[in-house]
């Protein structure tokens, strides 16, 4: 794949801004000084709340939106500056999967997948071969002559994936592709995207508001808030050591990091007078992520540890866990020193009486 000669990125956003005009004059900034590189062959997730600017960012990759400032490049070519045949060529290299499928009701599965090839003037014999291959890849051979109304949501999205691959793109964009699906179907679509990424070496850029989707499929993640990238990096690093409050908020719904309500109600930032317990989060990472460190700490230090919440899971091939615990406040520093000596991260959340 031809990549950007300065960054080596399949997709790059260089100081990108986007302003939309407001009724009555003036403008509103949808994106503000965005800089981000998406490396070839990776799956990168853009996560943000509704209105954060993630859809606008995605639409710049295929030229549906043009930046007000800065530059967006795909395979080394400036998308915002491209017009006519140049823009059409870029769009052939960028496939798109939509949240609500966008299938034509009057066309069969086969005909929906074939549509981009018909538009681009591909010969009929080549269309047949490519569509047959794609329908088989997404597991819909038995449904090739069915219409969208006869398909489940997951099957419709598989048609959408096949159609997005029809022009043999270098980049695949996913616009909330699983948000209209149930959890089980979501997992099968994510597995399909992971297979495509692995088998075809396709670069995938997906936007979502679900951190679990990022956890399950993305190697890299960027968090967008109010039109700005507030945090980005490898998925493992972001999950195990989030820095920005928005990232921490997204993570609170996964990986067992939410405090039980009866603890959160009584939590104080400062240590109260009298007997109290310190509440801390432990992030278990690295080679010791699955070791029984709490049991070892209790035995060696004689500490009573109260486990409040937690989970151990995997990000890619690497295990990590989050535990919320409380220990006697008088000995909390001793506990933290023990854990950090064993390469685990700790964070003081507050105190309870």
């Amino acid at each position: 794949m031809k990549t950007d000669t300065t960054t080596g990125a399949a997709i790059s956003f260089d100081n990108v801004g986007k302003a939309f005009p407001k009724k009555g004059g003036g403008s509103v900034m949808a994106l503000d000084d965005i800089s981000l590189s998406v490396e070839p062959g990776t799956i990168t997730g853009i996560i943000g709340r509704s209105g954060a600017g993630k859809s606008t960012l995605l639409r710049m990759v295929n030229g549906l939106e043009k930046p007000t400032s800065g530059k967006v490049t795909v395979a080394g070519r400036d998308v915002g500056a491209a017009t006519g045949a140049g823009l059409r060529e870029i769009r052939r290299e960028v496939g798109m999967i939509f949240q609500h499928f966008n299938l034509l009701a009057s066309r069969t599965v086969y005909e929906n997948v074939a549509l981009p090839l018909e538009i681009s003037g591909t010969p009929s014999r080549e269309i047949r071969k490519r569509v047959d291959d794609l329908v088989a890849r997404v597991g819909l051979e038995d449904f090739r002559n069915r219409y969208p109304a006869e398909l489940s949501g997951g099957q419709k999205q598989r048609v959408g994936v096949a159609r997005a691959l029809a022009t043999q793109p270098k980049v695949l964009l996913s616009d909330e592709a699983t948000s209209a699906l149930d959890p089980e179907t979501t997992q099968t679509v994510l597995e399909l995207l992971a297979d495509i990424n692995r088998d075809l070496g396709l670069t995938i850029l997906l936007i979502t508001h679900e951190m679990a989707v990022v956890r399950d499929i993305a190697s890299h993640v960027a968090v967008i808030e109010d039109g700005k990238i507030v945090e980005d990096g490898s998925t493992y690093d972001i999950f195990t050591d989030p820095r920005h409050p928005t990232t921490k908020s997204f993570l609170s719904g996964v990986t067992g990091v939410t405090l039980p309500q009866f603890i959160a109600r009584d939590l104080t930032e400062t240590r109260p007078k009298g007997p109290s317990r310190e509440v801390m989060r432990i992030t278990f990472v690295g080679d010791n992520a699955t070791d029984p460190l709490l049991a070892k700490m209790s035995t060696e230090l004689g500490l009573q540890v109260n486990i409040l919440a937690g989970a151990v899971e995997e990000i890619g091939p690497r295990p990590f866990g989050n535990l919320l615990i409380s220990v006697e406040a008088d000995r909390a520093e001793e506990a933290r020193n023990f854990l950090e000596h064993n390469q685990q991260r700790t964070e003081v959340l507050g105190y309870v009486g």
Side-chain angles (χ1 to χ4, degrees):
M1 180 199 304
K2 181 182 177 184
T3 57
D4 188 282
T5 54
T6 57
T7 68
I11 307 168
S12 68
F13 303 89
D14 301 307
N15 306 112
V16 170
K18 177 64 178 180
F20 289 103
K22 288 195 303 186
K23 288 182 178 179
S27 62
V28 58
M29 291 297 294
L31 298 174
D32 186 7
D33 197 27
I34 296 283
S35 290
L36 181 70
S37 293
V38 178
E39 299 307 311
T42 60
I43 301 178
T44 296
I46 307 291
I47 188 163
R49 298 185 179 91
S50 179
K54 56 188 187 297
S55 291
T56 301
L57 190 69
L58 197 74
R59 288 164 61 85
M60 288 189 175
V61 179
N62 58 9
L64 293 176
E65 296 286 356
K66 293 186 180 294
T68 307
S69 58
K71 184 169 69 171
V72 179
T73 58
V74 174
R77 290 174 294 189
D78 186 340
V79 182
T83 57
L87 182 58
R88 288 193 294 274
E89 184 178 350
I90 291 173
R91 285 176 174 168
R92 278 195 296 271
E93 294 191 353
V94 180
M96 184 97 170
I97 311 169
F98 301 91
Q99 177 181 0
H100 297 296
F101 322 127
N102 286 17
L103 303 180
L104 294 179
S106 61
R107 293 177 71 102
T108 65
V109 167
Y110 181 96
E111 291 166 342
N112 266 285
V113 177
L115 183 61
L117 298 171
E118 294 171 3
I119 292 172
S120 65
T122 304
S124 298
R125 181 178 300 177
E126 187 176 340
I127 289 177
R128 283 195 300 273
K129 183 180 186 309
R130 200 178 302 174
V131 174
D132 285 343
D133 289 345
L134 288 170
V135 169
R137 174 174 286 280
V138 300
L140 291 176
E141 300 99 317
D142 295 338
F143 297 85
R144 55 186 289 118
N145 295 318
R146 300 280 185 90
Y147 289 90
E150 302 174 87
L151 304 177
S152 68
Q155 290 166 340
K156 289 176 185 177
Q157 197 55 284
R158 285 173 176 269
V159 178
V161 171
R163 181 186 55 192
L165 296 175
T167 60
Q168 299 177 311
K170 304 293 192 300
V171 170
L172 187 61
L173 307 180
S174 171
D175 185 2
E176 297 276 13
T178 60
S179 63
L181 305 176
D182 62 75
E184 184 177 350
T185 306
T186 290
Q187 206 56 43
T188 62
V189 171
L190 293 181
E191 289 169 5
L192 174 62
L193 292 178
D195 289 345
I196 289 167
N197 168 255
R198 182 185 62 249
D199 296 345
L200 304 181
L202 206 61
T203 304
I204 299 178
L205 180 63
L206 61 90
I207 64 170
T208 182
H209 61 274
E210 300 171 282
M211 209 62 170
V213 169
V214 172
R215 175 196 62 199
D216 291 344
I217 192 174
S219 55
H220 297 77
V221 59
V223 183
I224 188 168
E225 178 79 0
D226 295 330
K228 295 176 180 289
I229 299 289
V230 296
E231 191 162 9
D232 70 278
S234 79
T235 302
Y236 192 87
D237 289 343
I238 296 296
F239 266 69
T240 57
D241 191 22
R243 302 299 178 89
H244 195 273
T246 299
T247 312
K248 293 179 180 180
S249 174
F250 275 118
L251 283 170
S252 67
V254 293
T255 67
V257 295
T258 304
L259 270 174
Q261 192 58 38
F262 74 93
I263 295 289
R265 250 193 329 261
D266 298 330
L267 199 68
T268 60
E269 290 185 11
T270 56
R271 182 178 170 182
K273 293 180 180 179
S276 62
R277 297 180 70 83
E278 182 177 290
V279 178
M280 71 176 75
R281 175 187 288 114
I282 311 167
T283 304
F284 291 88
V285 295
D287 295 336
N288 295 332
T290 56
D291 290 350
L293 288 178
L294 289 187
K296 184 179 178 183
M297 183 175 73
S298 296
T299 301
E300 292 188 9
L301 303 183
L303 275 174
Q304 290 185 336
V305 178
N306 186 15
I307 298 176
L308 305 174
V312 178
E313 49 194 306
E314 285 187 332
I315 300 292
R318 303 169 67 188
F320 91 106
N322 272 287
L323 279 181
L324 302 178
I325 69 168
S326 69
V327 297
E328 303 164 49
D330 288 339
R331 302 191 62 190
E333 184 177 0
E334 192 179 350
R336 282 186 269 107
N337 288 339
F338 174 89
L339 291 163
E340 289 167 10
H341 177 74
N342 284 278
Q343 290 83 52
Q344 308 310 315
R345 301 190 185 110
T346 64
E347 177 188 0
V348 179
L349 300 181
Y351 300 88
V352 288

